[in-house]
Amino acid sequence: MILLYALGAVLLPLLAFAVNCCLPGRGNKLSGWVSAGAILLSCILSILVFAGTWNKHTIHLQQNWFAVGFTRIYAGVLLNNLSALMLVLVSVIALPVHIYSTAYMKNDERYKRYFTWLSFFCFSMLALVVTDNLLLFYVFWELVGFSSYLLIGFWFTKEKAIQANKKAFIMNRIGDVGLLIAILVIFAQYRTFDILQLFGEGGFVSQSMIKFGFWIGPTRALPVVWQHVVFVGILLAVAAKSAQFPLHTWLPDAMEGPTSISAFIHAATMVAAGVFLLGRVYLVFTPDELDILAAIGCYTAFMAATIALTQNDLKRILAYSTISQLGYMIMAMGIGAYSSSIFHLVTHAFFKCLLFLVAGIVIHQMEHIKEDNNLDIDPQNILNMGGLRKKLPFTFIAAIIGSLALIGLPLTSGYLSKDGILIQAFDWSDGKSFAYKLIPIGAVLTTWLTAFYVVRMMVKVFFGDLKLQKAHQHINVHISDGGWQYKLPLVILAIACLFPLFSPNPLIYEQAWLFNGLTPAIHLERVDIYHTIIPALVNVLSLFVMYAGYAIYVKRKNHIFPQSGFLYDLSYKQWYFDEIYNGFIVKLVLLASNILAWFDRNIIDGIINLLPKITLLIAKLSAWFDHYIIDGIIHLLTRAVESIGNFVRKFQGGKIQYYLFSMLVIILALFILKTLI
């Protein structure tokens, strides 16, 4: 029954997709409730699967898919703690997003298309987390990327949306090529795509070793360079999907899609897929490769947090926050904190989805002010906001809960998951060189930066006075929190941002059921000072940072920090990554493309165009040879035969005396020849 529930949970969104495709009209409101009903049933089935799978035996069912020669490829469903957790997470996050979207998108002329694609998006992600086969995993990995491409560019009449979805699509193709190469190398080494056989307990990967320059598996050995190729391929895939350095720049631009889609992408689908991939193939990495993961994750977390400090677009602040939090997860995988990484993936899904839905309400209401008063403003710019806590009190409370969870203060779920990562990072670096200690130090600094930019965002949006009213004193402001379709999702997500859902103890992450249900690479007990001093130091200083941010942006009228200079420009211009990519990589690609185009146009096309001329010349030479040589010889022979015939004909005149004379001449000639010879 568990397998049937899992299949039902996966296929119901696909059914909703098919039904919506058949509904008439572009704005058919029934499509929203078809999709919402399907995901509600999928959510219920996912919870049943979770209850029947968590901390129980792994469920694995597969069927023969196809054969190539003597190699049989199987496909099926794999349900263990990780896949069951992700199945319920995706469906539970998708449910409030669907409910919210029925109100958020109600006036959009392409309402049906939105829910059709959203259902397909859900199906792709749900299938990704339960498939047992690397080939099918890759198929659904691509479908997740394709679905996000459609939804990021949903408003395809906007040039920015088109550019954003193309950027996301192209950068993710880089990662997809890496993943495909990694899968092919894994198959070449182990002759199977089965995830359980490869990465399960006692699987082929756990039986492998690197020795004497070879990657030695149970049945064969390859040069060790191929193991490094697998690592690089998976790293590229993770960096692209989960927006990590150096393939992170697509995610902030992806905010051009509907805010509800941003919530879904940032919480439990697109960006979560990269961390989930790491969880699936974790055993394939060597200790040195895990160190590289930790360094990349830490750098990305810190870099993204510094960028969020100066951004004024509400959704872009949250986008860089997502990149930063994903950096924590990748770093946690690198330091061996497997359980904490997945734990943070789950808690982050709830508070980040909550904050994006809050942002959607705020932006929606700012658009109302813009339209009602015919203003030319950017409704996403926080410099136009302020004082909204009085006009949107329900949304404000939800934003406070989500922000506290993002900062990671006690009594929130974010505290539990981030606490585990920070403590284990210091334990991991203990006894190692200073270079390794930079990783936990960077993680702690990132936590304080997070506290500052979150407070800045909240103050700019909800505190003080509405900036628009100061600039336009006679405008009418009639806004509200919205109906139940807005409020219910916020309530669900806000409850999930608090500690009781995960642990009876709000201060000790080891008591969280989720943490203990996942098999960690390193399980640490509270036996050293790090378990006490790190949470205390981080959270006390976070409170000071929060108060400093509040004091700076509420009590001071002037900027305490300079709004120019190298550091400000470095942050505001997003560390110049887009400029570097456009100035060097894009120009290099365009230069190479122009060179290839010139080579194609002048060399390849020149050769191709020369071939007909050569053929025509040969044809003309052949025609001349045929006309003057072949035909000449034939005409010569004809004339020779004709001349001989005419000559011989003279001897056939019919007169006896000529015949006798001819015979006499011939006899005399023969006689003379005989005499001479």
Side-chain angles (χ1 to χ4, degrees):
M1 287 300 292
I2 298 297
L3 280 170
L4 291 178
Y5 291 157
L7 289 173
V10 172
L11 294 176
L12 277 167
L14 181 62
L15 178 62
F17 164 77
V19 170
N20 284 343
C21 285
C22 299
L23 291 176
R26 293 194 301 178
N28 195 317
K29 296 299 186 287
L30 181 60
S31 60
W33 297 110
V34 168
S35 294
I39 204 64
L40 174 61
L41 294 175
S42 182
C43 183
I44 294 170
L45 293 175
S46 298
I47 292 172
L48 293 175
V49 171
F50 181 79
T53 306
W54 187 255
N55 284 340
K56 297 181 175 65
H57 294 296
T58 298
I59 299 174
H60 185 208
L61 178 67
Q62 59 180 191
Q63 295 289 331
N64 184 25
W65 187 11
F66 63 89
V68 178
F70 296 103
T71 303
R72 293 188 176 275
I73 307 300
Y74 295 88
V77 174
L78 174 61
L79 296 175
N80 55 13
N81 277 4
L82 179 59
S83 56
L85 177 65
M86 290 299 297
L87 188 72
V88 75
L89 176 67
V90 173
S91 56
V92 166
I93 291 293
L95 180 58
V97 170
H98 276 73
I99 296 171
Y100 181 95
S101 297
T102 58
Y104 190 78
M105 299 297 294
K106 67 179 180 180
N107 294 321
D108 196 283
E109 61 179 352
R110 300 180 184 88
Y111 184 89
K112 188 189 80 169
R113 178 183 293 183
Y114 171 87
F115 280 100
T116 302
W117 290 347
L118 181 57
S119 291
F120 189 74
F121 197 6
C122 292
F123 158 71
S124 302
M125 188 64 195
L126 290 169
L128 176 76
V129 302
V130 300
T131 187
D132 75 329
N133 179 284
L134 285 177
L135 276 183
L136 274 178
F137 184 95
Y138 187 76
V139 170
F140 293 120
W141 178 275
E142 288 294 307
L143 289 179
V144 168
F146 175 66
S147 303
S148 65
Y149 167 80
L150 294 175
L151 288 165
I152 291 169
F154 178 76
W155 287 315
F156 55 84
T157 55
K158 294 168 56 179
E159 180 62 23
K160 284 186 176 180
I162 296 301
Q163 294 301 324
N165 73 346
K166 284 197 295 186
K167 186 176 183 180
F169 191 81
I170 291 170
M171 296 194 80
N172 273 275
R173 294 295 71 72
I174 299 171
D176 294 347
V177 170
L179 178 59
L180 180 60
I181 293 172
I183 289 173
L184 293 177
V185 174
I186 289 172
F187 179 78
Q189 172 73 324
Y190 300 110
R191 294 299 176 185
T192 182
F193 293 110
D194 190 301
I195 291 174
L196 191 61
Q197 283 186 8
L198 289 168
F199 307 105
E201 186 176 352
F204 293 155
V205 174
S206 64
Q207 299 175 39
S208 301
M209 67 178 69
I210 294 176
K211 195 173 183 181
F212 304 123
F214 284 91
W215 181 25
I216 304 171
T219 59
R220 70 191 69 231
L222 292 175
V224 71
V225 66
W226 291 109
Q227 195 278 335
H228 300 325
V229 169
V230 170
F231 167 69
V232 172
I234 293 174
L235 179 62
L236 284 174
V238 172
K241 267 292 192 289
S242 292
Q244 296 295 286
F245 172 82
L247 301 177
H248 64 281
T249 59
W250 67 268
L251 189 58
D253 291 351
M255 299 302 96
E256 295 298 329
T259 307
S260 48
I261 289 303
S262 300
F264 200 35
I265 289 175
H266 285 248
T269 51
M270 183 80 168
V271 298
V275 181
F276 175 73
L277 171 62
L278 282 182
R280 274 290 195 228
V281 303
Y282 190 69
L283 294 177
V284 81
F285 302 129
T286 65
D288 290 339
E289 291 168 350
L290 290 175
D291 290 345
I292 294 172
L293 274 181
I296 290 175
C298 181
Y299 169 74
T300 305
F302 177 78
M303 174 265 296
T306 62
I307 294 173
L309 290 172
T310 58
Q311 301 305 304
N312 294 319
D313 185 299
L314 180 56
K315 290 173 67 175
R316 190 168 284 264
I317 294 171
L318 294 176
Y320 276 108
S321 171
T322 297
I323 295 173
S324 182
Q325 297 302 306
L326 288 165
Y328 272 114
M329 300 171 208
I330 304 300
M331 183 192 75
M333 286 287 185
I335 65 174
Y338 177 94
S339 295
S340 291
S341 178
I342 302 300
F343 189 8
H344 197 56
L345 172 66
V346 174
T347 60
H348 173 264
F350 289 108
F351 61 70
K352 188 50 61 69
C353 186
L354 174 62
L355 288 173
F356 264 106
L357 296 189
V358 164
I361 293 174
V362 170
I363 293 168
H364 208 51
Q365 299 306 319
M366 292 299 293
E367 286 177 343
H368 285 321
I369 297 174
K370 174 184 175 180
E371 293 169 0
D372 292 343
N373 297 278
N374 195 26
L375 299 175
D376 183 18
I377 62 166
D378 179 5
Q380 296 183 190
N381 193 328
I382 61 174
L383 300 181
N384 294 324
M385 302 175 191
L388 295 181
R389 75 183 189 280
K390 300 173 183 177
K391 301 181 182 300
L392 307 173
F394 191 89
T395 304
F396 171 67
I397 294 172
I400 287 290
I401 295 173
S403 297
L404 294 178
L406 173 57
I407 295 170
L409 291 183
L411 306 183
T412 67
S413 60
Y415 169 83
L416 292 170
S417 57
K418 190 178 290 187
D419 182 32
I421 293 174
L422 295 176
I423 290 172
Q424 290 178 77
F426 277 96
D427 272 312
W428 169 81
S429 68
D430 199 21
K432 297 183 179 180
S433 66
F434 179 73
Y436 288 91
K437 296 186 185 299
L438 290 175
I439 289 178
I441 292 171
V444 170
L445 290 176
T446 302
T447 297
W448 295 330
L449 290 174
T450 302
F452 190 85
Y453 73 69
V454 169
V455 169
R456 172 181 178 268
M457 177 186 70
M458 290 293 294
V459 167
K460 294 282 188 181
V461 174
F462 291 104
F463 289 85
D465 299 318
L466 184 61
K467 306 299 187 299
L468 283 179
Q469 281 190 321
K470 287 187 175 181
H472 309 275
Q473 297 182 358
H474 302 294
I475 63 172
N476 296 316
V477 179
H478 301 292
I479 58 177
S480 67
D481 290 301
W484 70 271
Q485 291 153 281
Y486 286 118
K487 293 178 180 178
L488 180 60
L490 299 189
V491 171
I492 295 171
L493 294 168
I495 292 172
C497 290
L498 302 176
F499 77 91
L501 184 64
F502 298 98
S503 173
N505 190 323
L507 301 178
I508 300 180
Y509 71 90
E510 292 97 338
Q511 294 186 12
W513 58 267
L514 194 155
F515 180 85
N516 289 301
L518 297 166
T519 304
I522 301 174
H523 187 81
L524 300 172
E525 299 295 337
R526 296 205 161 218
V527 294
D528 55 46
I529 193 171
Y530 290 134
H531 291 261
T532 302
I533 194 172
I534 296 303
L537 178 65
V538 168
N539 287 285
V540 169
L541 285 181
S542 290
L543 290 174
F544 277 109
V545 170
M546 292 170 65
Y547 177 76
Y550 177 82
I552 290 170
Y553 290 106
V554 172
K555 296 182 179 181
R556 293 179 180 267
K557 301 299 181 182
N558 299 321
H559 292 291
I560 191 173
F561 299 116
Q563 302 299 294
S564 60
F566 173 74
L567 291 178
Y568 177 83
D569 290 340
L570 182 68
S571 172
Y572 186 73
K573 294 182 180 179
Q574 302 155 64
W575 284 46
Y576 299 98
F577 279 110
D578 281 326
E579 286 81 359
I580 293 170
Y581 291 165
N582 291 329
F584 292 96
I585 297 177
V586 173
K587 285 187 177 179
L588 186 62
V589 170
L590 290 176
L591 177 62
S593 300
N594 290 330
I595 293 172
L596 291 174
W598 178 90
F599 185 81
D600 178 68
R601 184 171 55 253
N602 295 282
I603 306 301
I604 303 299
D605 287 352
I607 293 172
I608 292 172
N609 293 332
L610 184 61
L611 288 175
K613 294 179 181 179
I614 295 173
T615 304
L616 184 60
L617 178 61
I618 293 172
K620 288 181 178 180
L621 290 174
S622 298
W624 180 89
F625 186 81
D626 180 69
H627 181 70
Y628 291 101
I629 306 300
I630 304 300
D631 288 353
I633 293 173
I634 292 173
H635 293 154
L636 181 62
L637 291 173
T638 303
R639 290 183 180 180
V641 171
E642 183 181 8
S643 299
I644 293 171
N646 291 334
F647 176 75
V648 173
R649 190 182 302 115
K650 293 178 180 179
F651 296 97
Q652 303 294 325
K655 294 180 180 181
I656 297 293
Q657 58 270 30
Y658 285 117
Y659 296 156
L660 292 174
F661 177 75
S662 298
M663 290 173 63
L664 178 61
V665 171
I666 292 170
I667 290 170
L668 287 173
L670 290 173
F671 178 76
I672 292 169
L673 289 172
K674 185 173 180 61
T675 302
L676 293 174
I677 295 172

